[in-house]
Amino acid sequence: MTDSSKRPLAVFDLDNTLADTAHRQHFLESRPRDWDAFFAAAPQDPPLAEGVALAVESVGACEVVYLTGRPERCRRDTLDWLAAHGLPEGRVYMRSNADRRPARFTKLQILRRLARDREVRVLVDDDELVCDDAERAGFTVVRARWAAESAALEEAQEREGRT
Ligand SMILES: [Mg+2]
């Protein structure tokens, strides 16, 4: 049963929702993909202002929690990063170190579990597949498109800025 004495949850993804991973994306473009290097570089992620603002605004009406595809071994780095960038304190749901399933499965599973005894007010995530599945399951979703927009802008500036 939903516990109405508790604030609803606002669930935030990390990578490309709150944290800009563009600088470490190249680790996934090499073959084989270098996931260890990709995650090891996460402490250097610049924050994404739109996502951070949304998380900060959610406090009060909601309890903020984080739901990420990052593995558990990144927990310490992730908590430090959240604190360093002024994000609200909140539980962080991570993937177990051995879990290799796509994020859409693990994330939906955790969302459903959360929704069993709390209202999940919103999921904020940049992954279209995760968003589609969450919407289909009845969750309210904010699609974080700001990272893609800033990457496209940067690319355009790179190309056209030299003229
Ligand atoms: Mg993401």
Side-chain angles (χ1 to χ4, degrees):
M1 228 182 51
T2 304
D3 184 348
S4 56
S5 69
K6 291 182 181 155
R7 282 176 298 165
L9 300 176
V11 182
F12 282 80
D13 168 50
L14 293 177
D15 291 339
N16 291 323
T17 294
L18 298 173
D20 187 349
T21 68
H23 70 101
R24 54 188 168 103
Q25 213 60 40
H26 64 96
F27 291 118
L28 302 184
E29 281 151 18
S30 57
R31 291 290 177 276
R33 295 173 211 256
D34 192 346
W35 286 100
D36 286 341
F38 177 73
F39 289 123
Q44 282 81 53
D45 289 356
L48 290 163
E50 293 91 335
V52 174
L54 202 54
V56 170
E57 282 165 28
S58 302
V59 179
C62 294
E63 178 184 330
V64 172
V65 300
Y66 303 95
L67 176 56
T68 176
R70 292 184 192 182
E72 278 291 343
R73 64 177 186 277
C74 300
R75 181 170 290 276
R76 186 70 262 164
D77 283 351
T78 298
L79 295 178
D80 289 347
W81 188 93
L82 290 167
H85 295 288
L87 281 145
E89 267 182 48
R91 280 170 293 157
V92 179
Y93 296 91
M94 307 186 90
R95 192 201 290 258
S96 73
N97 285 331
D99 191 347
R100 294 276 188 275
R101 290 173 300 165
R104 55 193 303 204
F105 296 113
T106 51
K107 283 189 172 179
L108 249 289
Q109 209 170 44
I110 291 170
L111 271 181
R112 287 207 170 94
R113 203 175 73 210
L114 292 174
R116 280 209 292 258
D117 54 10
R118 286 288 276 280
E119 179 195 343
V120 174
R121 180 69 54 88
V122 67
L123 167 71
V124 187
D125 200 301
D126 69 298
D127 184 328
E128 297 290 348
L129 295 176
V130 169
C131 290
D132 289 347
D133 283 0
E135 269 179 356
R136 225 173 280 131
F139 293 98
T140 300
V141 169
V142 170
R143 290 170 194 255
R145 296 212 165 99
W146 39 81
E149 280 160 13
S150 78
L153 177 68
E154 226 168 79
E155 202 184 284
Q157 283 171 337
E158 279 281 304
R159 261 199 325 268
E160 288 145 35
R162 289 202 195 97
T163 57

